[in-house]
Amino acid sequence: MKAFVLDRYGKAGALRPADVPMPELRDDEVLVQVHAAGVNLLDAKIRDGEFKLILPYRLPLILGHDVAGVVAQVGSRVQQFRLGDEVYARADDFRIGTFAEYVPVKEASLALKPKGLTMEEAASIPLVALTAWQALVEKADLKKGQKVFIQAGSGGVGTLAIQLAKHLGATVATTTSTANVALVKSLGADVVIDYKSQDFEEVLRDCDVVLNSQDGKTLEKSLRVLRRGGKLITISGPPDPEFGKEIGAPGFVKLVMRLLSAGVRRRAKNRGVGFSFLFMRANGSQLGEIARLFDAGAVHPVIDRVFPFESTNEALAYVEAGRAKGKVVVKIR
Ligand SMILES: NC(=O)c1ccc[n+]([C@@H]2O[C@H](COP(=O)([O-])OP(=O)(O)OC[C@H]3O[C@@H](n4cnc5c(N)ncnc54)[C@H](OP(=O)(O)O)[C@@H]3O)[C@@H](O)[C@H]2O)c1
């Protein structure tokens, strides 16, 4: 099958288009014929070697986490999926590889694709929607009437997190640049802060939840816009000791995580604010619930660009440039 392969870690290195053997299917996996693959910053960060400690992959490696496609084969223990089903997923860590014609996905990580969406639209959803769900529903337990600050509302995570928070009945504040103010308003944002001309710290106070996806300075400022008892959830680091435990990291990695987040955890504690790091996980049953939200029209995909398969490197470069409005997708067939 055709695939885009990472041979060597390196900043902005190119993936190699190659003909590779079909993946071997395990008993609990479904082989998905890939129709479209979503592109995430995580793909570029793994390629650059930034995730070596958290996700120690062996090279060569096919990159790509998000997939929408058709079931081509099922493992002997698979019960919920049949040949021909239209499905979508965030592929499992250490089993990624959606920039390819076929990818094996654990049954537990797969869901039927939202019926009303195209393959490209469905492929744009899994990683960012699961991130929004795991941050706002699982970690924050966001409730009707609460105030949430979602940074970078025009990005992949932001466009879905705003819509999910509105669906949950929260009031949403977000940051974006002037060009994207109309987009985030159309998604339901109640308070829009143009980060080029305004400082969110001067606009927001007493937030119940902040979803932080930006740099360390933004993280520190976020602490100050939360009420006592509020929750700061960061998806852009630093990792906390609980995350080290969750992934069963070796002792020295756990120590690094403890040290990296020691300062912000201490300052959060002093302010009576909860701090946690989220690294999203594959989850088929959550994707099933998310599909229902799309089918009901409660949330909509936001796609910036669709690239042809042969332009996978260009798609990654486009995402890395940091200006995507919603999601970038590679069309595979
Ligand atoms: N831990 C996890 O599980 C997890 C999961 C998903 C993502 N992430 C991380 O979360 C971050 C966001 O991911 P993403 O996929 O949403 O990124 P993305 O789609 O690439 O974000 C691009 C958007 O960010 C906006 N932006 C850039 N700088 C900004 C700023 N200073 N303030 C507000 N908006 C800004 C841009 O809008 P303008 O053009 O208007 O500036 C653009 O629309 C990344 O670091 C990613 O690696 C982590």
Side-chain angles (χ1 to χ4, degrees):
M1 67 171 186
K2 291 193 178 59
F4 273 83
V5 178
L6 175 67
D7 292 312
R8 205 170 314 106
Y9 288 123
K11 266 237 164 295
L15 306 181
R16 174 174 54 89
D19 259 312
V20 298
M22 286 287 282
E24 270 175 38
L25 195 65
R26 299 175 186 157
D27 291 352
D28 61 347
E29 288 179 338
V30 170
L31 187 67
V32 180
Q33 182 189 48
V34 183
H35 284 229
V39 182
N40 290 283
L41 273 169
L42 181 58
D43 297 307
K45 289 179 181 179
I46 290 176
R47 183 202 60 197
D48 292 352
E50 283 178 36
F51 269 74
K52 278 191 228 169
L53 273 186
I54 293 179
L55 298 167
Y57 278 109
R58 285 232 213 101
L59 304 184
L61 169 72
I62 304 171
L63 279 179
H65 290 77
D66 279 336
V67 59
V70 173
V71 173
Q73 201 185 327
V74 291
S76 59
R77 290 201 280 126
V78 169
Q79 299 192 329
Q80 300 174 59
F81 299 96
R82 296 192 202 324
L83 292 191
D85 281 350
E86 295 195 335
V87 290
Y88 77 144
R90 188 281 203 199
D92 299 282
D93 288 329
F94 301 107
R95 207 63 177 139
I96 63 170
T98 64
F99 300 154
E101 289 180 294
Y102 292 87
V103 67
V105 180
K106 260 206 200 116
E107 175 177 31
S109 304
L110 198 67
L112 292 176
K113 120 185 192 306
K115 293 186 194 64
L117 300 191
T118 64
M119 286 291 183
E120 291 78 44
E121 288 171 332
S124 76
I125 295 167
L127 189 142
V128 288
L130 287 169
T131 304
W133 185 280
Q134 288 165 15
L136 301 180
V137 177
E138 269 190 348
K139 276 202 184 272
D141 191 22
L142 188 66
K143 293 271 184 280
K144 195 172 176 188
Q146 286 194 316
K147 195 156 85 180
V148 58
F149 170 37
I150 293 164
Q151 296 163 8
S154 51
V157 175
T159 48
L160 277 185
I162 291 174
Q163 296 183 77
L164 178 60
K166 289 308 294 176
H167 173 72
L168 296 170
T171 299
V172 177
T174 192
T175 43
T176 192
S177 68
T178 323
N180 294 322
V181 168
L183 168 68
V184 297
K185 279 194 177 156
S186 75
L187 298 172
D190 301 283
V191 179
V192 180
I193 300 153
D194 182 341
Y195 71 84
K196 301 245 167 153
S197 58
Q198 281 175 296
D199 181 347
F200 71 80
E201 208 185 334
E202 283 166 18
V203 182
L204 302 176
R205 67 176 66 89
D206 291 335
C207 293
D208 298 286
V209 176
V210 175
L211 176 53
N212 178 80
S213 58
Q214 303 298 307
D215 59 6
K217 202 171 150 211
T218 309
L219 184 74
E220 290 298 327
K221 292 207 303 186
S222 296
L223 282 173
R224 300 195 283 271
V225 304
L226 281 154
R227 68 165 168 83
R228 256 193 121 65
K231 292 173 189 159
L232 174 54
I233 296 160
T234 179
I235 58 171
S236 52
D240 58 8
E242 283 66 36
F243 173 62
K245 264 188 244 152
E246 264 171 44
I247 62 165
F252 80 98
V253 176
K254 279 196 210 138
L255 179 66
V256 170
M257 289 179 182
R258 182 174 292 281
L259 293 175
L260 283 174
S261 57
V264 65
R265 283 187 289 116
R266 189 179 60 246
R267 285 185 287 281
K269 199 171 167 200
N270 289 343
R271 299 185 74 89
V273 161
F275 171 83
S276 62
F277 171 73
L278 168 71
F279 186 68
M280 61 77 55
R281 306 165 318 279
N283 187 317
S285 62
Q286 289 178 354
L287 272 185
E289 297 198 48
I290 289 164
R292 281 190 278 284
L293 294 183
F294 279 92
D295 283 335
V299 287
H300 303 274
V302 180
I303 295 190
D304 183 332
R305 274 183 76 172
V306 178
F307 287 78
F309 192 18
E310 57 272 22
S311 303
T312 299
N313 281 308
E314 289 74 15
L316 270 169
Y318 186 79
V319 167
E320 262 190 306
R323 297 276 81 85
K325 297 175 201 34
K327 291 295 298 177
V328 171
V329 175
V330 174
K331 186 174 167 65
I332 310 256
R333 50 179 315 125

